[in-house]
């Protein structure tokens, strides 16, 4: 008797990004514009180089002008300042890590909020944590959100409940995020909790919960330390998102509940090979969606800059 076929649906980032890329290409062509994105590469990290190559390829396909500037890391701050002042540059991104730690956080804040396609400046991060979705009181200028690609993927695969009001559409969902970096993991947990989810945020120091309290009565999420273990929280989770930047890390499939949605945003495969025997939906990577969202953010910033100029 043959083994049963797994009923898991694998969703590729290329499929999720396709509609966004088509729309971006259409907008650029119809409006006869050529927004310019500058990427700064100041390291020899193979993952960063690969990311830069993806960015260049996608931009060429959609009509975005992309310029990769390889610079010495000691000169990076000055080069960012120059790009901030250059009116021909509509968006800036930096391929991290450069120095690592606090110095990289400082560099993130050197990028103008009107050119930050990654949403890593303090203003955008602050707004994510405080559930502020616009830069202005008139709500005409949307914030750039650092973890948009993951939100887009979850909307695509139906994690968000469209029946519920905007801002509450993850209410009732329990989500585990295994990564609490300041670039993706922590703001992602905050964003998901602000949309109503109960989030277990996992890193090597322990597990925290991000929620909007009982009945999602809080305007913005709160964070609480716990004594919980990975073995306790993963089996409770409707969605498990991994982003561990280590090739050897594998989340044991035996912890996953049947029907879980499994999403990996690490450049390494964080799930075991048999993940599809447990998951209903599996997203093995998000790279192409990330680049598409950078381009969408670039178009927004292009429009913000031209509106301010008028």
């Amino acid at each position: 008797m043959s083994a049963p076929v797994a009923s898991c649906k694998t969703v590729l980032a290329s499929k999720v990004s396709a509609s966004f890329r088509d729309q971006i290409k259409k907008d650029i062509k119809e409006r006869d514009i050529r927004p310019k994105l500058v990427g700064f590469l100041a390291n020899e990290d193979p993952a960063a180089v690969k990311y830069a190559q993806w960015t260049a390829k996608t931009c060429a396909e959609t009509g975005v002008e992309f310029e990769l500037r390889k610079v010495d890391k000691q000169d990076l701050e000055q080069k960012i300042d120059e790009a901030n002042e250059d009116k021909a540059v509509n968006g800036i991104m930096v391929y991290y890590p450069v120095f690592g730690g606090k110095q990289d956080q400082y560099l993130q804040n050197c990028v103008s909020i009107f050119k930050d396609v990654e949403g890593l400046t303090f203003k955008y991060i602050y707004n994510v944590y405080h559930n502020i979705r616009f830069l202005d009181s008139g709500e005409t200028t949307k914030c750039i959100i650092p973890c948009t690609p993951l939100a887009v993927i979850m909307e695509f695969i139906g994690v968000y409940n469209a029946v519920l009001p905007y801002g509450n559409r993850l209410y009732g969902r329990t989500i585990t995020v295994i990564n609490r970096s300041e670039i993706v993991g922590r703001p992602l947990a905050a964003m998901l909790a602000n949309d109503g989810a109960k989030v277990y945020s996992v890193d090597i120091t322990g597990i925290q919960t991000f929620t909007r309290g009982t009945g999602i009565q809080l305007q913005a999420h709160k964070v609480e330390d716990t004594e919980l273990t990975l073995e306790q929280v993963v089996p409770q989770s409707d969605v498990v998102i991994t982003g561990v930047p280590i090739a050897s890390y594998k989340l044991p499939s035996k912890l996953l509940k049947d029907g879980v949605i499994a999403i990996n945003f690490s450049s390494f495969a964080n799930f075991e090979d048999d993940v599809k025997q447990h998951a209903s939906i599996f997203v093995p990577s998000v790279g192409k969606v990330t680049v598409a969202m950078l381009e969408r953010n670039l178009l927004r910033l292009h429009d913000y800059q031209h509106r301010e100029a008028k």
Side-chain angles (χ1 to χ4, degrees):
M1 184 174 178
S2 59
V5 177
S7 57
C8 177
K9 172 73 172 178
T10 299
V11 176
L12 300 180
S14 56
K15 182 176 181 180
V16 181
S17 65
S19 61
F20 290 98
R21 293 170 60 196
D22 290 345
Q23 186 61 51
I24 291 164
K25 185 176 182 177
K26 181 181 177 183
D27 287 348
I28 288 173
K29 185 175 181 179
E30 289 182 351
R31 296 170 59 189
D32 193 25
I33 57 176
R34 192 100 193 277
K36 182 173 182 176
L37 173 62
V38 170
F40 287 105
L41 183 62
N43 63 45
E44 300 297 329
D45 180 19
V49 173
K50 186 176 181 181
Y51 188 13
Q53 291 170 345
W54 279 349
T55 310
K57 183 176 184 293
T58 304
C59 287
E61 291 171 352
T62 52
V64 168
E65 181 181 354
F66 176 70
E67 181 182 338
L68 180 64
R69 299 180 182 178
K70 297 182 179 180
V71 301
D72 186 282
K73 62 184 180 180
Q74 303 299 337
D75 299 326
L76 181 56
E77 181 181 350
Q78 179 186 340
K79 297 301 181 182
I80 291 173
D81 288 342
E82 291 172 1
N84 281 335
E85 297 300 321
D86 186 349
K87 292 183 179 179
V89 176
N90 303 115
I92 297 169
M93 63 181 300
V94 179
Y95 295 97
Y96 296 102
V98 179
F99 297 96
K102 297 285 187 182
Q103 202 160 349
D104 279 7
Q105 289 181 26
Y106 170 77
L107 289 170
Q108 290 163 18
N109 287 297
C110 289
V111 179
S112 164
I113 64 168
F114 289 107
K115 296 194 177 185
D116 178 16
V117 294
E118 297 177 285
L120 297 177
T121 55
F122 175 78
K123 179 69 174 176
Y124 289 135
I125 297 293
Y126 176 92
N127 286 355
V128 168
Y129 291 148
H130 291 81
N131 203 13
I132 300 170
R133 302 185 184 221
F134 294 86
L135 287 174
D136 61 326
S137 58
E139 297 190 351
T140 63
T141 307
K142 284 186 175 182
C143 292
I144 303 298
I145 306 298
C147 35
T148 302
L150 288 154
V152 165
I153 287 171
M154 286 191 285
E155 192 165 357
F156 181 88
I157 61 181
V159 177
Y160 284 81
N161 185 347
V163 174
L164 296 175
Y166 177 74
N168 293 343
R169 290 180 174 172
L170 291 178
Y171 185 40
R173 291 287 197 181
T174 299
I175 302 174
T176 291
V177 179
I178 305 176
N179 173 298
R180 198 154 64 234
S181 70
E182 296 299 331
I183 292 180
V184 181
R186 188 187 295 273
L188 174 63
M191 182 193 72
L192 298 176
N194 284 339
D195 279 338
K198 178 178 184 178
V199 182
Y200 292 112
S201 175
V202 180
D203 78 352
I204 57 173
T205 65
I207 296 176
Q208 295 178 329
T209 58
F210 286 55
T211 71
R212 279 171 51 198
T214 302
I216 57 170
Q217 295 178 8
L218 301 176
Q219 171 61 29
H221 74 282
K222 64 178 180 178
V223 180
E224 297 176 297
D225 292 323
T226 78
E227 298 297 324
L228 297 169
T229 65
L230 190 70
E231 290 74 16
Q232 291 173 307
V233 302
V234 170
Q236 299 179 40
S237 301
D238 307 302
V239 183
V240 176
I241 304 171
T242 57
V244 181
I246 300 171
S248 61
Y249 180 83
K250 301 290 182 184
L251 178 68
S253 296
K254 65 183 181 181
L255 298 180
L256 300 170
K257 77 174 187 179
D258 285 344
V260 72
I261 294 172
I263 302 172
N264 176 57
F265 71 83
S266 173
S267 55
F268 301 104
N270 285 169
F271 288 98
E272 292 182 331
D273 293 340
D274 64 345
V275 60
K276 295 181 187 180
Q277 299 298 324
H278 302 268
S280 59
I281 298 174
F282 175 50
V283 182
S285 68
V286 303
K288 291 185 178 180
V289 180
T290 301
V291 177
M293 292 303 100
L294 290 177
E295 291 184 299
R296 190 177 73 167
N297 290 344
L298 178 69
L299 282 181
R300 280 187 184 169
L301 293 172
H302 171 277
D303 292 346
Y304 296 167
Q305 291 158 26
H306 283 75
R307 190 173 67 204
E308 289 294 315
K310 292 178 182 178

